[in-house]
Amino acid sequence: MKKVLLSLSMLALAMGVDAQKVKGSDTVLPLSQKVAESYMKENKKATVTVTGGGTGVGISSLMAGTT
């Protein structure tokens, strides 16, 4: 599940979305932050917000349409 959400986020970024919010698993949070920082460094217009809080936060945010 974590890999799917991360993959979907990266796909959205690759499609030219300028702002992206990633919420969820604390397990992959450090990796997600590094990938987001690297992406924003290469793509100056892009904004990626990475938030942990656990899988429940990620799923709730996805259902609420905030991520």
Side-chain angles (χ1 to χ4, degrees):
M1 180 69 150
K2 295 171 191 171
K3 290 180 183 178
V4 172
L5 292 177
L6 183 59
S7 297
L8 289 174
S9 298
M10 294 300 111
L11 177 63
L13 291 171
M15 293 173 58
V17 176
D18 289 336
Q20 183 69 27
K21 295 179 183 176
V22 181
K23 295 182 183 180
S25 175
D26 290 328
T27 305
V28 296
L29 182 62
L31 175 62
S32 299
Q33 288 173 328
K34 290 197 183 290
V35 170
E37 289 169 7
S38 176
Y39 184 83
M40 288 188 294
K41 192 174 188 177
E42 292 179 20
N43 300 279
K44 303 295 183 192
K45 293 189 329 181
T47 302
V48 181
T49 304
V50 180
T51 308
T55 303
V57 169
I59 292 172
S60 296
S61 298
L62 186 61
M63 291 172 56
T66 61
T67 193

Short mmCIF file of all heavy atoms in Angstrom, two decimals:
data_model
loop_
_atom_site.label_atom_id
_atom_site.label_comp_id
_atom_site.label_asym_id
_atom_site.label_seq_id
_atom_site.Cartn_x
_atom_site.Cartn_y
_atom_site.Cartn_z
N MET A 1 0.83 -1.20 0.00
CA MET A 1 0.00 0.00 0.00
C MET A 1 0.87 1.26 0.00
O MET A 1 0.59 2.19 -0.73
CB MET A 1 -0.93 -0.02 1.22
CG MET A 1 -1.82 1.17 1.32
SD MET A 1 -3.05 1.17 0.00
CE MET A 1 -4.37 1.98 0.78
N LYS A 2 1.92 1.24 0.82
CA LYS A 2 2.80 2.40 0.91
C LYS A 2 3.48 2.66 -0.42
O LYS A 2 3.59 3.80 -0.85
CB LYS A 2 3.84 2.18 2.00
CG LYS A 2 3.26 2.07 3.38
CD LYS A 2 4.30 1.65 4.39
CE LYS A 2 3.64 1.29 5.70
NZ LYS A 2 4.55 0.70 6.63
N LYS A 3 3.92 1.60 -1.06
CA LYS A 3 4.59 1.74 -2.36
C LYS A 3 3.63 2.27 -3.40
O LYS A 3 4.01 3.06 -4.26
CB LYS A 3 5.19 0.41 -2.80
CG LYS A 3 6.36 -0.03 -1.97
CD LYS A 3 6.92 -1.35 -2.45
CE LYS A 3 8.04 -1.81 -1.56
NZ LYS A 3 8.57 -3.11 -1.98
N VAL A 4 2.38 1.84 -3.34
CA VAL A 4 1.37 2.30 -4.30
C VAL A 4 1.13 3.79 -4.13
O VAL A 4 1.10 4.54 -5.11
CB VAL A 4 0.06 1.51 -4.14
CG1 VAL A 4 -1.05 2.11 -4.98
CG2 VAL A 4 0.26 0.05 -4.51
N LEU A 5 0.94 4.25 -2.90
CA LEU A 5 0.70 5.67 -2.66
C LEU A 5 1.88 6.52 -3.08
O LEU A 5 1.71 7.58 -3.69
CB LEU A 5 0.36 5.92 -1.19
CG LEU A 5 -0.97 5.34 -0.71
CD1 LEU A 5 -1.15 5.58 0.78
CD2 LEU A 5 -2.13 5.94 -1.48
N LEU A 6 3.10 6.06 -2.78
CA LEU A 6 4.29 6.80 -3.18
C LEU A 6 4.40 6.83 -4.71
O LEU A 6 4.70 7.86 -5.29
CB LEU A 6 5.54 6.17 -2.56
CG LEU A 6 6.86 6.88 -2.82
CD1 LEU A 6 6.81 8.32 -2.31
CD2 LEU A 6 8.00 6.14 -2.17
N SER A 7 4.11 5.71 -5.35
CA SER A 7 4.16 5.65 -6.81
C SER A 7 3.14 6.58 -7.44
O SER A 7 3.43 7.26 -8.42
CB SER A 7 3.92 4.22 -7.29
OG SER A 7 4.95 3.37 -6.84
N LEU A 8 1.93 6.60 -6.89
CA LEU A 8 0.89 7.50 -7.42
C LEU A 8 1.29 8.95 -7.25
O LEU A 8 1.04 9.78 -8.14
CB LEU A 8 -0.44 7.23 -6.73
CG LEU A 8 -1.13 5.92 -7.08
CD1 LEU A 8 -2.37 5.72 -6.22
CD2 LEU A 8 -1.50 5.87 -8.55
N SER A 9 1.92 9.27 -6.14
CA SER A 9 2.36 10.64 -5.91
C SER A 9 3.42 11.05 -6.92
O SER A 9 3.39 12.14 -7.48
CB SER A 9 2.93 10.79 -4.49
OG SER A 9 1.93 10.51 -3.56
N MET A 10 4.37 10.16 -7.16
CA MET A 10 5.43 10.45 -8.12
C MET A 10 4.86 10.55 -9.54
O MET A 10 5.30 11.36 -10.34
CB MET A 10 6.53 9.39 -8.06
CG MET A 10 7.30 9.37 -6.74
SD MET A 10 8.14 10.95 -6.40
CE MET A 10 7.19 11.54 -5.01
N LEU A 11 3.85 9.74 -9.85
CA LEU A 11 3.20 9.81 -11.15
C LEU A 11 2.52 11.16 -11.34
O LEU A 11 2.62 11.79 -12.39
CB LEU A 11 2.18 8.68 -11.30
CG LEU A 11 1.36 8.68 -12.60
CD1 LEU A 11 2.28 8.49 -13.79
CD2 LEU A 11 0.31 7.57 -12.55
N ALA A 12 1.84 11.64 -10.32
CA ALA A 12 1.18 12.95 -10.40
C ALA A 12 2.21 14.05 -10.63
O ALA A 12 1.99 14.97 -11.42
CB ALA A 12 0.39 13.22 -9.12
N LEU A 13 3.35 13.94 -9.98
CA LEU A 13 4.40 14.93 -10.17
C LEU A 13 4.94 14.87 -11.60
O LEU A 13 5.19 15.89 -12.22
CB LEU A 13 5.53 14.70 -9.17
CG LEU A 13 5.19 15.00 -7.72
CD1 LEU A 13 6.32 14.53 -6.80
CD2 LEU A 13 4.94 16.48 -7.51
N ALA A 14 5.11 13.67 -12.11
CA ALA A 14 5.64 13.50 -13.46
C ALA A 14 4.68 14.03 -14.51
O ALA A 14 5.09 14.42 -15.60
CB ALA A 14 5.94 12.03 -13.71
N MET A 15 3.40 14.08 -14.19
CA MET A 15 2.39 14.54 -15.13
C MET A 15 2.29 16.07 -15.16
O MET A 15 1.47 16.62 -15.86
CB MET A 15 1.03 13.92 -14.79
CG MET A 15 0.99 12.43 -15.02
SD MET A 15 -0.51 11.64 -14.43
CE MET A 15 -1.77 12.52 -15.34
N GLY A 16 3.11 16.74 -14.39
CA GLY A 16 3.13 18.19 -14.45
C GLY A 16 2.31 18.89 -13.39
O GLY A 16 2.05 20.07 -13.49
N VAL A 17 1.88 18.20 -12.37
CA VAL A 17 1.15 18.83 -11.28
C VAL A 17 2.14 19.70 -10.51
O VAL A 17 3.20 19.25 -10.13
CB VAL A 17 0.53 17.75 -10.36
CG1 VAL A 17 -0.14 18.40 -9.17
CG2 VAL A 17 -0.46 16.91 -11.13
N ASP A 18 1.81 20.98 -10.30
CA ASP A 18 2.74 21.89 -9.65
C ASP A 18 2.72 21.81 -8.13
O ASP A 18 3.68 22.17 -7.49
CB ASP A 18 2.45 23.33 -10.07
CG ASP A 18 2.85 23.58 -11.51
OD1 ASP A 18 3.71 22.85 -12.02
OD2 ASP A 18 2.29 24.50 -12.12
N ALA A 19 1.63 21.35 -7.55
CA ALA A 19 1.54 21.24 -6.09
C ALA A 19 1.03 19.85 -5.74
O ALA A 19 0.08 19.36 -6.34
CB ALA A 19 0.61 22.29 -5.52
N GLN A 20 1.68 19.24 -4.79
CA GLN A 20 1.32 17.88 -4.40
C GLN A 20 1.43 17.76 -2.89
O GLN A 20 2.38 18.24 -2.29
CB GLN A 20 2.28 16.89 -5.08
CG GLN A 20 1.98 15.45 -4.82
CD GLN A 20 0.70 14.98 -5.49
OE1 GLN A 20 0.29 15.50 -6.48
NE2 GLN A 20 0.08 14.01 -4.91
N LYS A 21 0.44 17.10 -2.27
CA LYS A 21 0.46 16.84 -0.84
C LYS A 21 0.54 15.34 -0.63
O LYS A 21 -0.27 14.60 -1.17
CB LYS A 21 -0.79 17.38 -0.15
CG LYS A 21 -0.91 18.88 -0.20
CD LYS A 21 -2.18 19.33 0.48
CE LYS A 21 -2.33 20.83 0.36
NZ LYS A 21 -3.60 21.28 0.94
N VAL A 22 1.51 14.91 0.15
CA VAL A 22 1.69 13.49 0.45
C VAL A 22 1.53 13.33 1.95
O VAL A 22 2.24 13.97 2.72
CB VAL A 22 3.08 12.99 0.00
CG1 VAL A 22 3.24 11.51 0.30
CG2 VAL A 22 3.31 13.28 -1.47
N LYS A 23 0.59 12.49 2.38
CA LYS A 23 0.36 12.26 3.81
C LYS A 23 0.33 10.77 4.07
O LYS A 23 -0.11 10.00 3.23
CB LYS A 23 -0.98 12.85 4.26
CG LYS A 23 -1.06 14.34 4.17
CD LYS A 23 -2.40 14.84 4.68
CE LYS A 23 -2.53 16.34 4.53
NZ LYS A 23 -3.82 16.82 5.02
N GLY A 24 0.79 10.36 5.25
CA GLY A 24 0.66 8.95 5.61
C GLY A 24 1.82 8.39 6.40
O GLY A 24 2.28 8.99 7.35
N SER A 25 2.25 7.25 5.95
CA SER A 25 3.17 6.38 6.68
C SER A 25 4.42 7.08 7.21
O SER A 25 5.13 7.76 6.48
CB SER A 25 3.59 5.23 5.78
OG SER A 25 4.57 4.44 6.42
N ASP A 26 4.67 6.90 8.49
CA ASP A 26 5.91 7.41 9.09
C ASP A 26 7.10 6.56 8.67
O ASP A 26 8.24 7.03 8.71
CB ASP A 26 5.80 7.40 10.62
CG ASP A 26 4.81 8.45 11.11
OD1 ASP A 26 4.70 9.51 10.47
OD2 ASP A 26 4.17 8.21 12.15
N THR A 27 6.85 5.33 8.24
CA THR A 27 7.93 4.42 7.86
C THR A 27 8.68 4.96 6.65
O THR A 27 9.91 4.89 6.60
CB THR A 27 7.36 3.02 7.53
OG1 THR A 27 6.62 2.56 8.66
CG2 THR A 27 8.46 2.05 7.22
N VAL A 28 7.98 5.46 5.67
CA VAL A 28 8.62 5.96 4.45
C VAL A 28 8.77 7.48 4.44
O VAL A 28 9.19 8.05 3.44
CB VAL A 28 7.88 5.49 3.18
CG1 VAL A 28 7.93 3.99 3.05
CG2 VAL A 28 6.46 5.98 3.16
N LEU A 29 8.46 8.13 5.55
CA LEU A 29 8.52 9.58 5.62
C LEU A 29 9.91 10.14 5.27
O LEU A 29 9.99 11.04 4.43
CB LEU A 29 8.07 10.08 7.00
CG LEU A 29 8.04 11.59 7.21
CD1 LEU A 29 7.05 12.25 6.26
CD2 LEU A 29 7.67 11.91 8.66
N PRO A 30 10.99 9.62 5.85
CA PRO A 30 12.31 10.18 5.49
C PRO A 30 12.62 10.04 4.00
O PRO A 30 13.14 10.97 3.38
CB PRO A 30 13.29 9.36 6.34
CG PRO A 30 12.47 8.85 7.49
CD PRO A 30 11.10 8.62 6.91
N LEU A 31 12.27 8.92 3.41
CA LEU A 31 12.50 8.71 1.99
C LEU A 31 11.63 9.65 1.16
O LEU A 31 12.10 10.28 0.21
CB LEU A 31 12.22 7.26 1.60
CG LEU A 31 12.31 6.94 0.11
CD1 LEU A 31 13.72 7.18 -0.41
CD2 LEU A 31 11.89 5.50 -0.15
N SER A 32 10.36 9.77 1.54
CA SER A 32 9.45 10.66 0.82
C SER A 32 9.93 12.11 0.86
O SER A 32 9.84 12.83 -0.14
CB SER A 32 8.04 10.58 1.41
OG SER A 32 7.54 9.28 1.29
N GLN A 33 10.45 12.53 2.01
CA GLN A 33 10.95 13.90 2.14
C GLN A 33 12.15 14.14 1.24
O GLN A 33 12.24 15.16 0.58
CB GLN A 33 11.31 14.20 3.59
CG GLN A 33 10.10 14.35 4.48
CD GLN A 33 10.45 14.48 5.95
OE1 GLN A 33 11.44 13.91 6.42
NE2 GLN A 33 9.63 15.22 6.68
N LYS A 34 13.06 13.17 1.19
CA LYS A 34 14.25 13.32 0.35
C LYS A 34 13.88 13.35 -1.14
O LYS A 34 14.43 14.14 -1.90
CB LYS A 34 15.25 12.21 0.64
CG LYS A 34 15.89 12.35 2.00
CD LYS A 34 17.14 11.51 2.10
CE LYS A 34 17.74 11.61 3.48
NZ LYS A 34 18.33 12.89 3.78
N VAL A 35 12.94 12.48 -1.53
CA VAL A 35 12.50 12.47 -2.92
C VAL A 35 11.81 13.80 -3.27
O VAL A 35 12.06 14.37 -4.33
CB VAL A 35 11.55 11.27 -3.19
CG1 VAL A 35 10.89 11.39 -4.55
CG2 VAL A 35 12.30 9.96 -3.06
N ALA A 36 10.98 14.30 -2.36
CA ALA A 36 10.29 15.57 -2.59
C ALA A 36 11.29 16.72 -2.71
O ALA A 36 11.17 17.56 -3.61
CB ALA A 36 9.30 15.84 -1.47
N GLU A 37 12.28 16.76 -1.82
CA GLU A 37 13.29 17.82 -1.87
C GLU A 37 14.07 17.77 -3.17
O GLU A 37 14.31 18.80 -3.80
CB GLU A 37 14.24 17.68 -0.68
CG GLU A 37 13.61 18.05 0.64
CD GLU A 37 14.47 17.66 1.84
OE1 GLU A 37 15.63 17.21 1.64
OE2 GLU A 37 13.99 17.80 2.98
N SER A 38 14.44 16.58 -3.58
CA SER A 38 15.19 16.40 -4.83
C SER A 38 14.35 16.85 -6.03
O SER A 38 14.83 17.55 -6.93
CB SER A 38 15.59 14.93 -4.99
OG SER A 38 16.21 14.72 -6.22
N TYR A 39 13.08 16.46 -6.03
CA TYR A 39 12.18 16.83 -7.13
C TYR A 39 12.00 18.35 -7.20
O TYR A 39 12.06 18.94 -8.28
CB TYR A 39 10.83 16.14 -6.98
CG TYR A 39 9.93 16.42 -8.14
CD1 TYR A 39 10.02 15.68 -9.31
CD2 TYR A 39 9.00 17.45 -8.09
CE1 TYR A 39 9.21 15.95 -10.40
CE2 TYR A 39 8.18 17.73 -9.18
CZ TYR A 39 8.29 16.97 -10.32
OH TYR A 39 7.50 17.25 -11.40
N MET A 40 11.79 18.98 -6.04
CA MET A 40 11.58 20.43 -6.03
C MET A 40 12.85 21.18 -6.44
O MET A 40 12.77 22.24 -7.05
CB MET A 40 11.10 20.90 -4.66
CG MET A 40 9.67 20.49 -4.36
SD MET A 40 8.99 21.21 -2.84
CE MET A 40 10.01 20.42 -1.59
N LYS A 41 14.01 20.61 -6.13
CA LYS A 41 15.27 21.22 -6.53
C LYS A 41 15.41 21.22 -8.06
O LYS A 41 15.89 22.18 -8.65
CB LYS A 41 16.44 20.47 -5.90
CG LYS A 41 17.76 21.15 -6.00
CD LYS A 41 18.82 20.39 -5.20
CE LYS A 41 20.11 21.17 -5.12
NZ LYS A 41 21.10 20.47 -4.29
N GLU A 42 14.97 20.15 -8.69
CA GLU A 42 15.05 20.03 -10.15
C GLU A 42 13.90 20.76 -10.85
O GLU A 42 14.05 21.16 -12.00
CB GLU A 42 15.03 18.57 -10.56
CG GLU A 42 16.27 17.81 -10.15
CD GLU A 42 16.21 16.35 -10.54
OE1 GLU A 42 15.42 15.99 -11.43
OE2 GLU A 42 16.96 15.57 -9.95
N ASN A 43 12.78 20.89 -10.18
CA ASN A 43 11.58 21.51 -10.77
C ASN A 43 11.16 22.68 -9.90
O ASN A 43 10.37 22.53 -8.97
CB ASN A 43 10.44 20.49 -10.87
CG ASN A 43 10.85 19.32 -11.74
OD1 ASN A 43 10.80 19.40 -12.95
ND2 ASN A 43 11.29 18.24 -11.11
N LYS A 44 11.69 23.84 -10.19
CA LYS A 44 11.52 25.02 -9.34
C LYS A 44 10.07 25.42 -9.12
O LYS A 44 9.72 25.99 -8.10
CB LYS A 44 12.30 26.21 -9.93
CG LYS A 44 13.78 25.95 -10.12
CD LYS A 44 14.49 25.74 -8.81
CE LYS A 44 15.98 25.57 -9.07
NZ LYS A 44 16.71 25.10 -7.94
N LYS A 45 9.18 25.13 -10.07
CA LYS A 45 7.77 25.51 -9.93
C LYS A 45 6.98 24.57 -9.03
O LYS A 45 5.91 24.90 -8.57
CB LYS A 45 7.09 25.56 -11.29
CG LYS A 45 7.59 26.66 -12.20
CD LYS A 45 6.78 26.85 -13.45
CE LYS A 45 6.12 25.63 -14.00
NZ LYS A 45 5.37 25.83 -15.23
N ALA A 46 7.51 23.38 -8.80
CA ALA A 46 6.79 22.36 -8.05
C ALA A 46 6.85 22.60 -6.55
O ALA A 46 7.85 23.07 -6.02
CB ALA A 46 7.35 20.98 -8.37
N THR A 47 5.76 22.28 -5.88
CA THR A 47 5.70 22.33 -4.42
C THR A 47 5.17 20.98 -3.93
O THR A 47 4.10 20.55 -4.35
CB THR A 47 4.75 23.44 -3.94
OG1 THR A 47 5.20 24.68 -4.45
CG2 THR A 47 4.71 23.50 -2.42
N VAL A 48 5.94 20.34 -3.09
CA VAL A 48 5.54 19.05 -2.53
C VAL A 48 5.55 19.17 -1.02
O VAL A 48 6.54 19.56 -0.43
CB VAL A 48 6.49 17.91 -2.97
CG1 VAL A 48 6.02 16.58 -2.41
CG2 VAL A 48 6.61 17.85 -4.48
N THR A 49 4.42 18.84 -0.40
CA THR A 49 4.31 18.85 1.05
C THR A 49 4.20 17.41 1.52
O THR A 49 3.32 16.68 1.07
CB THR A 49 3.05 19.63 1.49
OG1 THR A 49 3.10 20.93 0.94
CG2 THR A 49 2.97 19.70 3.01
N VAL A 50 5.12 16.99 2.39
CA VAL A 50 5.13 15.62 2.89
C VAL A 50 4.82 15.66 4.38
O VAL A 50 5.47 16.37 5.14
CB VAL A 50 6.50 14.95 2.66
CG1 VAL A 50 6.50 13.53 3.20
CG2 VAL A 50 6.87 14.96 1.18
N THR A 51 3.79 14.90 4.79
CA THR A 51 3.37 14.85 6.19
C THR A 51 3.24 13.40 6.62
O THR A 51 2.69 12.59 5.90
CB THR A 51 1.98 15.54 6.35
OG1 THR A 51 2.04 16.83 5.78
CG2 THR A 51 1.59 15.63 7.80
N GLY A 52 3.74 13.09 7.80
CA GLY A 52 3.61 11.74 8.34
C GLY A 52 2.30 11.62 9.11
O GLY A 52 1.30 12.22 8.76
N GLY A 53 2.33 10.83 10.15
CA GLY A 53 1.14 10.68 10.98
C GLY A 53 0.58 9.28 10.96
O GLY A 53 -0.31 8.95 11.73
N GLY A 54 1.08 8.47 10.06
CA GLY A 54 0.62 7.09 10.01
C GLY A 54 -0.33 6.82 8.86
O GLY A 54 -0.84 7.73 8.20
N THR A 55 -0.54 5.55 8.62
CA THR A 55 -1.39 5.10 7.52
C THR A 55 -2.82 5.63 7.67
O THR A 55 -3.45 6.02 6.69
CB THR A 55 -1.39 3.57 7.43
OG1 THR A 55 -0.03 3.14 7.28
CG2 THR A 55 -2.21 3.07 6.27
N GLY A 56 -3.31 5.66 8.89
CA GLY A 56 -4.67 6.16 9.13
C GLY A 56 -4.84 7.59 8.69
O GLY A 56 -5.86 7.96 8.10
N VAL A 57 -3.83 8.42 8.96
CA VAL A 57 -3.87 9.82 8.53
C VAL A 57 -3.89 9.89 7.01
O VAL A 57 -4.65 10.66 6.42
CB VAL A 57 -2.65 10.60 9.09
CG1 VAL A 57 -2.53 11.97 8.44
CG2 VAL A 57 -2.76 10.74 10.59
N GLY A 58 -3.05 9.07 6.37
CA GLY A 58 -3.01 9.06 4.92
C GLY A 58 -4.33 8.65 4.30
O GLY A 58 -4.82 9.30 3.36
N ILE A 59 -4.93 7.60 4.81
CA ILE A 59 -6.20 7.13 4.27
C ILE A 59 -7.32 8.14 4.53
O ILE A 59 -8.13 8.42 3.65
CB ILE A 59 -6.54 5.73 4.83
CG1 ILE A 59 -5.54 4.71 4.28
CG2 ILE A 59 -7.97 5.34 4.50
CD1 ILE A 59 -5.63 3.34 4.90
N SER A 60 -7.37 8.68 5.74
CA SER A 60 -8.38 9.70 6.06
C SER A 60 -8.25 10.92 5.16
O SER A 60 -9.25 11.45 4.67
CB SER A 60 -8.26 10.14 7.52
OG SER A 60 -8.53 9.07 8.38
N SER A 61 -7.02 11.35 4.93
CA SER A 61 -6.77 12.51 4.06
C SER A 61 -7.15 12.21 2.63
O SER A 61 -7.71 13.07 1.93
CB SER A 61 -5.29 12.90 4.12
OG SER A 61 -4.94 13.28 5.43
N LEU A 62 -6.88 11.00 2.19
CA LEU A 62 -7.25 10.59 0.83
C LEU A 62 -8.77 10.60 0.67
O LEU A 62 -9.31 11.12 -0.31
CB LEU A 62 -6.69 9.21 0.54
CG LEU A 62 -6.85 8.68 -0.87
CD1 LEU A 62 -6.15 9.58 -1.88
CD2 LEU A 62 -6.28 7.26 -0.96
N MET A 63 -9.48 10.08 1.67
CA MET A 63 -10.94 10.05 1.63
C MET A 63 -11.55 11.44 1.69
O MET A 63 -12.58 11.71 1.09
CB MET A 63 -11.47 9.17 2.76
CG MET A 63 -11.14 7.69 2.54
SD MET A 63 -11.52 6.62 3.93
CE MET A 63 -13.25 6.91 4.20
N ALA A 64 -10.87 12.36 2.41
CA ALA A 64 -11.36 13.72 2.53
C ALA A 64 -10.96 14.60 1.34
O ALA A 64 -11.40 15.74 1.22
CB ALA A 64 -10.84 14.35 3.82
N GLY A 65 -10.10 14.06 0.47
CA GLY A 65 -9.67 14.81 -0.69
C GLY A 65 -8.63 15.87 -0.40
O GLY A 65 -8.47 16.80 -1.16
N THR A 66 -7.91 15.71 0.70
CA THR A 66 -6.89 16.70 1.06
C THR A 66 -5.49 16.23 0.73
O THR A 66 -4.52 16.93 1.05
CB THR A 66 -6.97 17.05 2.56
OG1 THR A 66 -6.74 15.87 3.33
CG2 THR A 66 -8.33 17.63 2.90
N THR A 67 -5.36 15.12 0.10
CA THR A 67 -4.06 14.62 -0.32
C THR A 67 -4.17 13.83 -1.60
O THR A 67 -5.26 13.46 -2.01
CB THR A 67 -3.40 13.75 0.78
OG1 THR A 67 -2.03 13.54 0.47
CG2 THR A 67 -4.10 12.44 0.96
#
